[in-house]
Amino acid sequence: MHIPDSKVAIHDAKRVGLKAVQWLDDRTGLLWILRHSMFHRVPRNAKWWYVFGSATLMFFTIQIASGIVLATLYAPSAAQAYDSLVYIDTTVPFGWFLRAIHGWSSNAMCFMMLIHLAQVFLHGSYKYPRELTWVAGVLLCVTTLGLAFTGQIMRWDADAYWGLGIGASIADRAPVIGNQVRALVLGGPDISGATLTRFFALHVFVLPGSAIALLGFHLYSVLRHGISEMPKVGAVVEPATYREGYEARTKKTGVPFYPDAARRDMVVCGALLIALVGVAAWCGPFGPGELPDPTNINASPRPDGLFLWIFAALALLPPSVETPLLLIGPPLGIAFLAAFPFFCNRGERAPTRRPLSVIALIIIVVGAGVLTVLGMKSPWSPDMNAWTSAPSPVEFTEHRTPLELQGALEFQFAQCRNCHAIGGAGGERGPDLTEVATRLSWDQLVRQVQQGGGNMPAYGKTLSSAETQALVAYLTTLDGGDLRAAIPGALEQQSSRDAMPAATK
Amino acid sequence: MMRLPRSLALLSVLCASCDQLPGKPAPRAKPIDVTTVAGFQSYYATNCSGCHGVNGAQGPARPLTDASYLASVPADAMLAMLRDGIPGTRMPGFGTHSIGGVEALGGTTDAQLQAFITTMNSQWGASNAVASTIPWKHTAGLGDASRGASTFATHCLVCHTQDNTTAGSVTDPFYLRLVSDQHLRTSIVFGRNDRNGRNDPNGRNDAKAAMPAANGPFPTTAGQPALASLTAANVDDLVAYLASLRGTGLSMNESKDSAP
């Protein structure tokens, strides 16, 4: 019989290929792993609830891939970082799109991860025997948020300074070792080129490395213990009998992961992928925003959406609670979350039987949501354009001495206006100063300007004595028309107006 | 065999249209058309009004509605001031932050600044305004402080008399350390026609004489003969005189102030 040459060739190729695969499997066991992970039996009732983990994984993969390309284009030095981003945006073909994908996928990953976390918590899936899966998940959560946080710093624009400022101020508050911790975080006493290098190393080596290791363990544990069934009232987790029961049930009623359950993952991931491309193409990359102005580090804090709630919490908390909460809160919260399954690794999994957990989850979600909305509005945030766009009210510049006019100028130039309104215009982070002269004396004004305090930066080092003099001379004329002193000492030293009755209209 | 070229064509169409996707960052963040009056006004409102006042006047900084000033400053000098700011003073630059020829975000291009200046001149300038005969630009070392003191006595003291003993006046070292010689010169040559003065020589504060330009008219106390305009040499001397007062005063070590 004559067999066509092409068929022989295909046959040979198949044989060689098969041999190669067999060889690889023999040496590594890859096929076994593949078969097990694809065709292991999963509970039949594991429906759409279970897709969030896979979606997180998909976005993480996108992050790695797009991140590697970005790392080849980005210049992690303080002098060039900003320019290199502009270069990627404007000159590299599709560079802007790559940045958009990386940025939006990062947000999507965090979002999916948080939903995944909430779902696992809600369904009590962290109970026996999946305690360590949960611990790895919590650590992954911390790592991922760390990646998002350090990623925002890579932009090295004014917004990046928010993260750095917060990092530095948290470090600063640590008792005794505050200075050393600050130096460790910032790579020196101040934000500098060394800071960016440090955060770059975290963002591209340390954190992704940790994430991959943790993820490996997380996925391994998922395979080892199988995914949990949908919680049912009365189906109590009992460590002594759980495993046997689970195996028996999945053997009897379970379905192979591929294609039955994987189908849903693929549908969701496909839809999310399309959405990601669409959003990235439509909305474009994040930043880089304004160039950072190092003299203005305290005035422009504004984080990405994911951290708006921290931003809001920090802005709204009274300073006295802020320090302990900042230093103790996060480590304690993370430790508590991680240790959670060790306190209650048995019993009911159904949410209806765990009202406390459900209420706690609702409080956290609603709280974070409210804080995020507040963070978006952020009335406490400086109005970054006020210094050039909010005119000095004419009634406050009329009949002023030359020195006071210089003070009015300095009030704009030192960007006081970004935080303080006068005559109805300006930022709302600090109090309205239209009538400040009636409530503070000359000395108190000098003190406030030089030493700051209560979320106002200290200007003692940045203003010369003449500038301070001019500013305070101007401030003493801000008496809201001609109100009376509200405290003794106020309005006593108005450098010029006493000699000038017409000045008070 | 038909499929490959077709998918290639599709791909290239896709790629070509990618360049017009809405997400692609614009080379400049907000291109405002400053050639229109509305565009000019909005640019002015966001970037200038903070210091130069709502409609180009009555802010703490120099009024821009001064037609004589606009006529006197040459176009290239004005462009340089708007683009690069005035180093050492509180006037920031609004030009582009340029990276290898690529215009980056936030900056205003030279062309736009040119257009802005043109619109500003047509809005606030006057076609019949003549440039000042006294050079607008300060040149260091021309004046004589003691001659300046006597000119100050004849021409300025009549209004600035009370100021002379009051903190915050034009002779206050604190004030002088905050301003450059150019600022002093510009104020003397062009005056401040947007703002009523604080002191009236005849004690009628409601009269509110404005600070006159170098060509006067200079107010006098009642019954005195009118004063002559200031000459270019007078202005040099006055600047030198005021500059000489800077060094005296309470604190001697100003480092950051704009005064040269």
Side-chain angles (χ1 to χ4, degrees):
Chain A
M1 235 195 114
H2 175 72
I3 303 169
D5 280 354
S6 61
K7 274 205 178 151
V8 176
I10 290 174
H11 181 77
D12 284 354
K14 270 190 183 159
R15 223 185 45 216
V16 172
L18 197 66
K19 259 205 156 144
V21 172
Q22 271 168 351
W23 184 91
L24 202 64
D25 184 40
D26 180 59
R27 304 304 193 278
T28 61
L30 262 183
L31 267 193
W32 180 87
I33 294 177
L34 203 64
R35 199 168 54 229
H36 181 72
S37 50
M38 278 179 70
F39 303 115
H40 69 282
R41 301 207 147 241
V42 297
R44 177 182 291 281
N45 59 6
K47 294 243 153 102
W48 295 98
W49 277 104
Y50 289 70
V51 298
F52 302 114
S54 315
T56 312
L57 180 61
M58 176 191 72
F59 286 122
F60 183 60
T61 320
I62 294 176
Q63 285 310 85
I64 300 265
S66 57
I68 288 174
V69 184
L70 280 178
T72 63
L73 296 167
Y74 175 74
S77 86
Q80 291 158 13
Y82 187 92
D83 291 357
S84 75
L85 291 184
V86 175
Y87 171 78
I88 296 174
D89 270 357
T90 54
T91 312
V92 176
F94 296 104
W96 67 271
F97 188 66
L98 190 70
R99 285 196 57 232
I101 290 277
H102 198 69
W104 286 102
S105 165
S106 143
N107 279 316
M109 175 177 171
C110 293
F111 193 63
M112 286 298 149
M113 179 189 70
L114 292 177
I115 298 185
H116 179 54
L117 183 76
Q119 176 262 322
V120 167
F121 179 78
L122 197 65
H123 285 175
S125 308
Y126 53 81
K127 296 193 176 194
Y128 178 90
R130 302 184 180 83
E131 297 98 329
L132 283 185
T133 322
W134 167 267
V135 172
V138 170
L139 294 180
L140 266 173
C141 182
V142 174
T143 321
T144 307
L145 293 180
L147 275 165
F149 190 82
T150 51
Q152 158 184 322
I153 287 167
M154 294 302 104
R155 287 208 300 267
W156 208 243
D157 56 8
D159 288 340
Y161 273 58
W162 179 81
L164 291 174
I166 293 295
S169 82
I170 293 177
D172 254 351
R173 294 174 208 215
V176 190
I177 52 163
N179 270 338
Q180 282 85 339
V181 178
R182 180 189 169 98
L184 188 72
V185 174
L186 296 184
D190 293 306
I191 296 176
S192 65
T195 317
L196 180 56
T197 315
R198 198 148 288 204
F199 276 86
F200 183 70
L202 278 179
H203 188 70
V204 306
F205 298 115
V206 181
L207 291 173
S210 321
I212 290 172
L214 285 165
L215 188 64
F217 176 74
H218 193 68
L219 293 179
Y220 166 78
S221 328
V222 170
L223 285 179
R224 181 174 158 81
H225 302 298
I227 58 170
S228 64
E229 297 147 292
M230 278 299 280
K232 248 199 329 242
V233 176
V236 179
V237 174
E238 197 45 65
T241 57
Y242 177 82
R243 215 184 272 275
E244 249 170 76
Y246 177 84
E247 265 157 30
R249 282 191 301 277
T250 44
K251 200 164 256 161
K252 209 164 95 208
T253 62
V255 291
F257 173 72
Y258 183 88
D260 290 61
R263 214 174 37 204
R264 278 187 282 271
D265 287 336
M266 288 188 292
V267 168
V268 169
C269 287
L272 285 173
L273 194 62
I274 293 171
L276 174 70
V277 170
V279 170
W282 198 263
C283 303
F286 291 85
E290 305 256 311
L291 269 174
D293 173 2
T295 57
N296 209 7
I297 165 172
N298 294 305
S300 73
R302 197 170 177 78
D304 283 357
L306 192 64
F307 299 105
L308 279 175
W309 62 276
I310 309 184
F311 177 50
L314 288 183
L316 297 176
L317 283 173
S320 53
V321 241
E322 217 172 68
T323 305
L325 221 61
L326 270 180
L327 283 179
I328 305 165
L332 213 63
I334 294 164
F336 177 76
L337 203 62
F340 199 69
F342 299 102
F343 303 128
C344 45
N345 70 338
R346 57 180 67 212
E348 285 278 2
R349 285 181 52 220
T352 45
R353 292 296 160 93
R354 294 163 49 237
L356 265 185
S357 300
V358 176
I359 291 172
L361 184 67
I362 290 176
I363 290 178
I364 291 173
V365 170
V366 171
V370 168
L371 283 176
T372 302
V373 171
L374 276 174
M376 277 193 265
K377 292 202 181 134
S378 62
W380 58 82
S381 220
D383 171 357
M384 293 313 290
N385 294 322
W387 68 289
T388 57
S389 66
S392 301
V394 174
E395 64 268 32
F396 294 147
T397 51
E398 217 168 27
H399 305 307
R400 297 307 197 258
T401 66
L403 184 69
E404 287 159 2
L405 283 185
Q406 288 301 313
L409 213 49
E410 190 62 32
F411 192 76
Q412 306 285 125
F413 187 73
Q415 313 203 350
C416 312
R417 199 73 190 272
N418 292 0
C419 291
H420 292 289
I422 43 174
E428 291 171 27
R429 185 175 169 81
D432 188 313
L433 296 185
T434 310
E435 294 162 15
V436 71
T438 62
R439 52 178 191 265
L440 294 179
S441 70
W442 180 282
D443 291 342
Q444 287 169 320
L445 287 169
V446 172
R447 218 182 135 256
Q448 179 73 30
V449 171
Q450 289 188 334
Q451 300 178 7
N455 278 330
M456 166 158 157
Y459 283 86
K461 286 212 188 91
T462 45
L463 296 179
S464 71
S465 59
E467 283 166 328
T468 310
Q469 189 83 8
L471 253 181
V472 174
Y474 174 61
L475 291 176
T476 55
T477 68
L478 300 180
D479 58 5
D482 51 2
L483 298 171
R484 297 178 167 259
I487 60 150
L491 291 175
E492 264 174 21
Q493 192 173 353
Q494 276 185 313
S495 53
S496 60
R497 303 181 78 204
D498 311 334
M500 191 51 235
T504 28
K505 300 195 286 180
Chain B
M1 281 301 105
M2 271 302 290
R3 290 178 56 186
L4 188 67
R6 200 181 294 167
S7 55
L8 267 184
L10 190 69
L11 199 68
S12 55
V13 167
L14 264 180
C15 286
S17 59
C18 272
D19 238 29
Q20 283 126 44
L21 287 172
K24 186 169 172 153
R28 278 190 304 280
K30 27 182 168 158
I32 298 178
D33 183 7
V34 286
T35 52
T36 66
V37 172
F40 165 79
Q41 279 168 348
S42 99
Y43 188 92
Y44 178 85
T46 34
N47 296 295
C48 324
S49 69
C51 295
H52 290 281
V54 184
N55 285 313
Q58 289 190 290
R62 166 128 286 275
L64 301 174
T65 49
D66 184 336
S68 152
Y69 176 74
L70 291 181
S72 303
V73 179
D76 55 341
M78 187 64 96
L79 177 65
M81 283 194 272
L82 264 55
R83 185 185 53 211
D84 310 324
I86 307 177
T89 75
R90 296 182 186 78
M91 166 73 186
F94 297 92
T96 43
H97 163 82
S98 142
I99 297 149
V102 179
E103 262 137 28
L105 318 136
T108 312
T109 60
D110 283 10
Q112 276 182 303
L113 289 175
Q114 290 280 18
F116 178 85
I117 293 169
T118 309
T119 319
M120 177 165 75
N121 284 332
S122 70
Q123 286 289 298
W124 293 331
S127 49
N128 58 355
V130 281
S132 160
T133 50
I134 303 174
W136 74 280
K137 182 114 185 108
H138 176 71
T139 314
L142 288 184
D144 175 84
S146 55
R147 278 204 310 264
S150 53
T151 311
F152 191 82
T154 54
H155 279 74
C156 316
L157 214 54
V158 71
C159 284
H160 290 287
T161 178
Q162 209 171 4
D163 284 351
N164 210 12
T165 54
T166 312
S169 75
V170 285
T171 49
D172 183 335
F174 277 131
Y175 162 70
L176 291 168
R177 278 182 220 151
L178 290 172
V179 299
S180 62
D181 287 0
Q182 179 65 58
H183 166 96
L184 294 172
R185 178 181 200 86
T186 309
S187 305
I188 296 168
V189 172
F190 299 101
R192 279 209 69 163
N193 59 10
D194 66 322
R195 181 181 296 294
N196 293 325
R198 300 175 50 255
N199 300 327
D200 177 71
N202 299 314
R204 300 191 335 270
N205 280 313
D206 54 328
K208 295 176 188 167
M211 159 95 175
N215 55 3
F218 289 93
T220 51
T221 27
Q224 296 294 308
L227 285 166
S229 300
L230 294 173
T231 63
N234 288 154
V235 174
D236 290 336
D237 295 343
L238 278 171
V239 173
Y241 167 62
L242 290 175
S244 74
L245 300 178
R246 242 182 225 132
T248 64
L250 299 170
S251 101
M252 298 297 289
N253 49 355
E254 306 296 334
S255 53
K256 177 174 172 298
D257 292 343
S258 57

